[in-house]
Amino acid sequence: MRTRVWRPPHPHRNACLHVALASLVPGIDRSTEDPLPEAPLPAVVEESPYGPLPKVADDGSRPADVYARPSDYAAVDGGPPRVAVLLNGLGVPGAADGDIIKGLPPPVSLAYGAYGRGLQERVTEARAAGHEVFLAIPLEPEDYPSKDPGPHALLTTLPPKDNIKRLQWAMSRYAGYIGVTNYMGAKFQSDLGSIAPVFEDSKRRGLLYLADGSTDGSVTGRVATALELEYDVADVHLDNGRMDRQLAKLEAAAKENGTAIGVAKAAPGTVKRIADWAGSLEGKGLVLVPVSAAVRTPRQG
């Protein structure tokens, strides 16, 4: 079961509370049909030696809010159980991301890495298609260096100041993301002294953190709670080999808890299966929402 912790009041919460529950229908979240605004938005940009970094605006607006896909289902009780999907593995060198994500329902959130070329262009295209975006930061896995997350990976053997430099390098690669998620990172996320400074910087910059659920979240959950970082952990890993079974698990988790988040690796077959599945949700009494809305939905019980 995923750990959910403190989250700040959502800027649209008062409006959401006045949404008629009758308008919160199953299917695919159609709260907006508009492209998301092009990033960067100057109010939430801080210049740094690495390039532009996210920051909290002078009026308190956070990148986690201003870059999120609007959803009437966020921060409101009632309505159908919510399911959300984060598609990761995008933004890698040489990948044809635009072709892969064609046909994907706009509420599906996307995670782009930090190593590819033309990343801002890719993110701009994704947001124009209605997808909110996460930054996937490379973190040390258990079997490093046999598995290597790349030359800018954050490592438990580095002092915090060096890891923050690597984090900010990754953060400067493009703008428009609402938060960060891990690329690999089982060892790093289990090391209190390593993950705490990363969470502190994410909190300070107005970002949320979504752990992909591949490792025990006891350390990350405890740190996020202490820092009052908006944080969540995915419930289900989706993959093309076991998609039907995993999607059924995601549906069951949403019905039990009111909301559930799945993560999937970007591949044409996976994208088609998710798109087909999304079309079946209305008949199952579920609604597909962006990850930000799932994070901000009150849990049942």
XYZ file of all heavy atoms in Angstrom, residues 16-17 78 90 100 102 111 123 162 175 190 216 238 268 290:
104
model
N -12.533 23.788 -6.562
C -12.834 22.363 -6.710
C -13.942 21.922 -5.773
O -14.767 21.090 -6.120
C -11.571 21.545 -6.436
S -10.343 21.645 -7.755
N -13.961 22.481 -4.569
C -14.951 22.072 -3.590
C -16.356 22.471 -4.010
O -17.338 21.960 -3.486
C -14.604 22.663 -2.222
C -13.342 22.082 -1.574
C -13.028 22.818 -0.281
C -13.506 20.603 -1.300
N -15.446 12.635 -3.131
C -16.562 12.145 -3.917
C -16.212 11.945 -5.373
O -15.088 12.179 -5.820
N 10.963 8.345 -21.274
C 11.000 9.287 -22.392
C 12.214 10.207 -22.251
O 12.830 10.292 -21.200
C 9.711 10.108 -22.419
C 8.425 9.314 -22.658
C 7.207 10.141 -22.292
C 8.342 8.862 -24.113
N 5.884 7.837 -30.188
C 5.491 6.872 -29.171
C 4.214 7.292 -28.462
O 3.330 6.473 -28.204
C 6.628 6.663 -28.156
C 7.800 5.930 -28.809
C 6.139 5.878 -26.931
C 9.010 5.795 -27.916
N 1.784 9.329 -29.430
C 0.600 9.662 -30.227
C -0.562 8.753 -29.837
O -0.409 7.552 -29.688
C 0.910 9.502 -31.715
C 1.660 10.680 -32.314
C 1.897 10.476 -33.803
C 2.656 11.663 -34.398
N 2.968 11.445 -35.834
N 7.104 11.270 -17.984
C 8.374 11.549 -17.307
C 9.502 11.518 -18.326
O 9.704 10.504 -19.005
C 8.639 10.533 -16.203
N 9.295 18.391 -24.449
C 8.378 18.719 -23.358
C 7.321 19.711 -23.829
O 6.138 19.590 -23.479
C 9.162 19.255 -22.152
C 8.230 19.851 -21.108
C 10.003 18.142 -21.533
N 27.707 17.896 -3.705
C 27.951 17.422 -5.070
C 26.696 16.815 -5.678
O 26.430 16.971 -6.880
C 29.091 16.408 -5.076
C 30.445 17.038 -4.800
O 30.556 18.283 -4.910
O 31.390 16.303 -4.462
N 12.278 23.071 -18.791
C 11.300 23.633 -17.858
C 9.917 23.085 -18.191
O 9.677 22.579 -19.286
C 11.299 25.159 -17.941
N 17.084 4.697 -0.373
C 17.085 4.027 0.929
C 18.110 4.613 1.891
O 18.188 4.182 3.044
C 17.370 2.527 0.745
O 16.385 1.925 -0.064
N 11.245 -0.098 -1.343
C 10.579 0.192 -0.082
C 10.594 1.691 0.165
O 11.650 2.323 0.142
C 11.309 -0.544 1.044
C 10.759 -0.221 2.421
O 9.601 0.259 2.499
O 11.466 -0.437 3.412
N 3.274 -1.208 -14.353
C 2.639 -1.766 -15.539
C 3.724 -2.155 -16.545
O 4.713 -1.456 -16.705
C 1.717 -0.726 -16.176
C 0.697 -0.063 -15.238
C 0.019 1.094 -15.937
C -0.333 -1.072 -14.752
N 5.623 1.512 -27.856
C 4.393 1.609 -28.657
C 3.292 0.648 -28.207
O 2.124 1.039 -28.103
C 4.881 1.288 -30.077
C 6.311 1.726 -30.086
C 6.820 1.401 -28.703
N -4.873 13.056 -14.328
C -3.420 13.236 -14.279
C -2.861 12.847 -12.913
O -3.583 12.826 -11.907
C -3.235 14.736 -14.557
C -4.555 15.361 -14.291
C -5.590 14.319 -14.542
